[in-house]
Amino acid sequence: MSLFGAISVSASGMEAQRTRAELITENLANADTTRTPEGGPYRRKDAVFTTAPVAFSFTDVLSDASGGSQGVSVSDITVDDSDPERRYMPGHPDADPDGYVAFPRIDPAEEMVDLMSASRGYQANVAAISAVKDMIARSIDLFR
Amino acid sequence: MRLDQTGLQLGNFMSYLSQRQEVIASNIANADTPGYLTRDVEMPVDFSAAIEDARTLVVDTPDLPRHNDGNNVSIDREARLLAENTMKFNVAAQFVRTEIKNLRSAIEEGRAS
């Protein structure tokens, strides 16, 4: 039943965009974090999206049939390994002998743009689900 | 006009639309996936024959402009198709309802509406 499959596909899109939005908010919250359990400043994280077959029913799993459509999943979370930004703050407890502190290389403007993109992507998936819901409701109306 | 024939064609048309809706949902879900190419479902030539395997009708749409990440999903195109598809489905469903109503009217010898 491909209409229900469409809902699963959109749900996978919502999940992926939500994960991305969570990582972006994490980046924004930690834009000035100089200490992490791994040592050093916080490093920017980003989600990597890959197409993934969405199995709607047990038969789909067995026959590996995805109805020609693919969902999306977060296959990897990348951690930015570029050099941290060095700011001259001699009074800071994490300053090196020269008085420089390593700060995460996070551009709030870039994060905000990504956040808007993630939120719009989420909304597009929600719109797709409501369109499919409408179609299913019309099909059910045929029984009346 | 035979009800079963019209009903069958409308049914096949509705299956085609649901299949297409799933592919559109997939395009929207993958709007940010690098390298993903927009897919579409080819319209069958004849709706009077049942669609054997809907997956064979799924085609790539390579002529849309690609973004820097190799993805060519146009969210505006998908939004348009989503709305268009839902409306077509509603029209088909309305036709089926009318067919059923006519049949019921014949069964009840035109007494009830």
Side-chain angles (χ1 to χ4, degrees):
Chain A
M1 186 75 190
S2 53
L3 277 180
F4 292 104
I7 290 187
S8 310
V9 167
S10 295
S12 79
M14 284 167 69
E15 196 183 324
Q17 297 291 1
R18 205 202 54 240
T19 309
R20 185 169 157 220
E22 277 170 8
L23 289 176
I24 294 166
T25 46
E26 188 183 322
N27 289 341
L28 279 169
N30 286 291
D32 290 316
T33 305
T34 53
R35 290 179 192 176
T36 52
E38 302 85 44
Y42 174 82
R43 291 188 180 273
R44 181 176 183 273
K45 289 179 189 159
D46 205 354
V48 180
F49 287 1
T50 334
T51 52
V54 170
F56 167 64
S57 67
F58 190 59
T59 340
D60 287 353
V61 182
L62 287 178
S63 61
D64 194 28
S66 56
S69 60
Q70 302 236 281
V72 62
S73 75
V74 177
S75 63
D76 194 15
I77 290 170
T78 55
V79 178
D80 180 23
D81 57 357
S82 62
D83 287 332
E85 193 182 303
R86 282 159 59 81
R87 285 187 212 157
Y88 186 65
M89 292 170 96
H92 197 283
D94 291 325
D96 63 3
D98 299 329
Y100 283 96
V101 184
F103 272 94
R105 197 171 281 280
I106 288 168
D107 180 2
E110 194 187 314
E111 300 301 324
M112 287 314 292
V113 170
D114 278 356
L115 188 59
M116 276 166 70
S117 162
S119 134
R120 293 282 179 253
Y122 191 90
Q123 284 173 14
N125 281 300
V126 173
I129 289 191
S130 41
V132 174
K133 264 175 70 186
D134 189 31
M135 281 165 74
I136 295 174
R138 293 287 176 139
S139 310
I140 294 169
D141 277 352
L142 292 178
F143 294 118
R144 288 196 189 143
Chain B
M1 189 182 72
R2 281 168 54 203
L3 173 89
D4 55 347
Q5 192 54 34
T6 324
L8 179 73
Q9 294 202 24
L10 284 169
N12 285 336
F13 182 53
M14 283 162 90
S15 339
Y16 156 75
L17 290 174
S18 1
Q19 166 77 5
R20 195 165 192 218
Q21 196 79 345
E22 189 178 335
V23 169
I24 295 166
S26 164
N27 289 339
I28 292 174
N30 283 293
D32 289 319
T33 307
Y36 179 86
L37 288 178
T38 305
R39 288 169 178 206
D40 206 344
V41 184
E42 265 185 346
M43 177 103 132
V45 193
D46 183 9
F47 281 109
S48 56
I51 302 158
E52 295 276 308
D53 187 359
R55 269 172 291 164
T56 55
L57 295 169
V58 177
V59 286
D60 275 341
T61 315
D63 44 323
L64 289 167
R66 286 216 194 187
H67 309 158
N68 286 336
D69 58 358
N71 181 307
N72 76 348
V73 176
S74 157
I75 212 79
D76 305 317
R77 177 187 182 271
E78 302 310 320
R80 191 203 89 212
L81 288 177
L82 193 72
E84 205 178 283
N85 229 28
T86 314
M87 284 189 278
K88 280 181 185 168
F89 192 91
N90 290 350
V91 169
Q94 194 55 52
F95 268 117
V96 176
R97 288 192 75 164
T98 316
E99 289 291 323
I100 295 171
K101 221 171 97 184
N102 289 346
L103 181 68
R104 183 176 302 224
S105 161
I107 293 170
E108 289 164 355
E109 295 167 10
R111 269 171 292 170
S113 58

